[in-house]
Amino acid sequence: MIETVKLTIRLSNFFKMSWKNKTVSLFLLAYIVIFSAYSLTNFPPLQVQNNVYGFTTDFINLIVLIFLFWMVQCSKLSKFAYTFSTLGLMLWSMGNTADLIDEIVIQPYWVSIYFEDLCRTSGMLLTSYGLFKTMRFVQSINNRLARELIIDDLTKVHNRRYFYQHAKDAQHSPYVILIVDIDHFKAINDEFGHDVGDVGDVVLKELATKYDNAFTHQNKFARLGGEEFGGYLPTNNMTQACDFSQQLIDLAHTINIQNSRHLTVSIGVAMQTPNEPLDKVMKRADQALYLAKKSGRDRFEIAP
């Protein structure tokens, strides 16, 4: 079962964090408390009522930064995205804390100019780069998931979902559908699979690789499920489709099963009739496959 992780920002997440996340979170909180307490007790006060607007906006900005910092700590990011985002938001929050306190007390010049501005500016730069790395991280995950959605896990060729979607979206009409099925596949597993490993899986992967290389240009190949594969040929030339089917049969003969015998396949061939939907073409190809099996296997049959 695939484990899913839900992003939440509850305070209880603190106890689920790694020691690294806990340390940086506590460091930022301790800095804000200690810096604020030190500044309020050691620097001359200002008339707060004269700086209500500035104090309010700086306070809101600090709360937003702390919230973003907490979101980063609760998220599962890549190493670089986490590092730059955490460091950037930490420095930005430190600078903003000094900016907030500056509305309440008279800070030394070096604190206002060097510490406050330097932390805030460097924090913005690091946070921006951390955001860039985060977007790259999210994009890489999106690309991987998009690929996994259309690729068969075992054979690494396209899967049934991709095959049907491509055939439905394709503009060429008519087209030819091939359904390829390995002959006596259960017998192969029963004879070899239990003693020497997953021979059936090895056969599936080897055949899929060879066939995938044979389907060039606009031809598409996919694993439909089990030991069954599908082929899409954007052509109305049945002679070409038959010649290609025979090539696939011959190509299967090049695969030796435990140096005992060569592999054979049966193929059902169906050409789309005018305005015929894909599911009906597939059904006719499947019926032709059944006829090829019934007629002795290691052959192809054309659907009427």
Side-chain angles (χ1 to χ4, degrees), residues 53-90:
Y53 176 77
F55 176 83
T56 303
T57 54
D58 287 341
F59 180 76
I60 293 174
N61 289 340
L62 182 59
I63 294 299
V64 170
L65 289 173
I66 293 174
F67 177 75
L68 293 175
F69 180 85
W70 182 252
M71 284 184 62
V72 170
Q73 304 314 307
C74 294
S75 302
K76 300 293 184 181
L77 302 178
S78 67
K79 179 179 179 180
F80 284 112
Y82 171 80
T83 300
F84 283 103
S85 297
T86 296
L87 185 57
L89 287 169
M90 182 179 293

Side-chain angles (χ1 to χ4, degrees), residues 3 34 64 86 96 101 111 116 123 135 149 188 251 291 295:
E3 181 182 359
I34 294 173
V64 170
T86 296
N96 213 84
I101 300 301
V111 173
E116 177 185 321
M135 297 304 294
L149 192 65
I188 294 173
L251 192 58
L291 181 59
S295 301

Side-chain angles (χ1 to χ4, degrees), residues 254-271:
T254 65
I255 299 176
N256 291 318
I257 307 172
Q258 293 294 301
N259 297 318
S260 174
R261 62 176 183 269
H262 63 250
L263 188 69
T264 66
V265 299
S266 299
I267 304 177
V269 185
M271 178 179 288

Side-chain angles (χ1 to χ4, degrees), residues 9 26 46 76 87 93 153 184 221 223 260 262 277 287:
I9 53 174
L26 291 174
L46 289 171
K76 300 293 184 181
L87 185 57
S93 298
D153 264 350
H184 304 296
F221 172 74
R223 183 187 182 195
S260 174
H262 63 250
Q287 291 171 346

Side-chain angles (χ1 to χ4, degrees), residues 4-5 31 42 72 81 108 117 148 158 166 181 184 194 205 221 225 232 245 250 275 286:
T4 58
V5 179
Y31 165 81
N42 289 277
V72 170
D117 292 342
E148 290 179 354
H158 287 123
H166 177 83
D181 190 83
H184 304 296
H194 303 297
K205 288 189 283 187
F221 172 74
Y232 168 85
S245 298
D250 295 339
N275 301 319
D286 193 56

Side-chain angles (χ1 to χ4, degrees), residues 150-151 157-172 175-180 208 211-224 229-235 244 248 278 282:
I150 62 172
I151 297 297
V157 300
H158 287 123
N159 60 17
R160 185 187 190 93
R161 179 195 299 269
Y162 173 86
F163 183 80
Y164 272 77
Q165 193 60 51
H166 177 83
K168 288 179 180 179
D169 293 342
Q171 300 298 315
H172 194 283
Y175 53 79
V176 174
I177 292 294
L178 310 179
I179 297 183
V180 184
Y211 277 9
D212 197 43
N213 292 332
F215 278 75
T216 57
H217 305 299
Q218 299 301 314
N219 300 339
K220 296 298 178 182
F221 172 74
R223 183 187 182 195
L224 301 182
F229 299 90
Y232 168 85
L233 309 178
T235 181
F244 185 68
L248 296 180
L278 175 64
M282 295 292 294

